[in-house]
Amino acid sequence: MILYTMVPYESIFYEDTQPSGNVRTIDVDGAMVIVEEMSSSEYRVVRLISSNPRHYLESRFAPGTVIYTKPQL
């Protein structure tokens, strides 16, 4: 089945796409990224929210990519 729609995938197939862990939105170099917290210093990218087309070409913002940060004290 092919869906020609502007509705996000998450809205149509809700159960299959919801991350299981702690989800938050963070700013990474000017791009808003929805991430799933894996540990105190590791986050997995769930979705990119940006109006800059160049952000979508960068592999570090691809869904599933792990972002490492300093541990929060």
Side-chain angles (χ1 to χ4, degrees):
M1 176 172 77
I2 298 173
L3 298 175
Y4 296 100
T5 179
M6 292 176 48
V7 177
Y9 181 83
E10 296 86 12
S11 296
I12 298 169
F13 302 104
Y14 181 78
E15 296 175 9
D16 296 338
T17 59
Q18 295 304 311
S20 58
N22 188 12
V23 178
R24 60 171 46 169
T25 303
I26 61 172
D27 181 16
V28 180
D29 296 332
M32 297 302 294
V33 182
I34 298 176
V35 294
E36 178 180 9
E37 186 174 357
M38 297 170 44
S39 70
S40 62
S41 62
E42 293 181 337
Y43 299 93
R44 177 177 294 129
V45 175
V46 175
R47 184 175 184 180
L48 171 65
I49 302 172
S50 177
S51 59
N52 185 349
R54 291 183 185 222
H55 287 156
Y56 291 92
L57 298 175
E58 295 187 32
S59 61
R60 65 184 172 148
F61 297 133
T65 303
V66 177
I67 296 174
Y68 299 95
T69 63
K70 295 179 183 176
Q72 299 173 356
L73 301 175

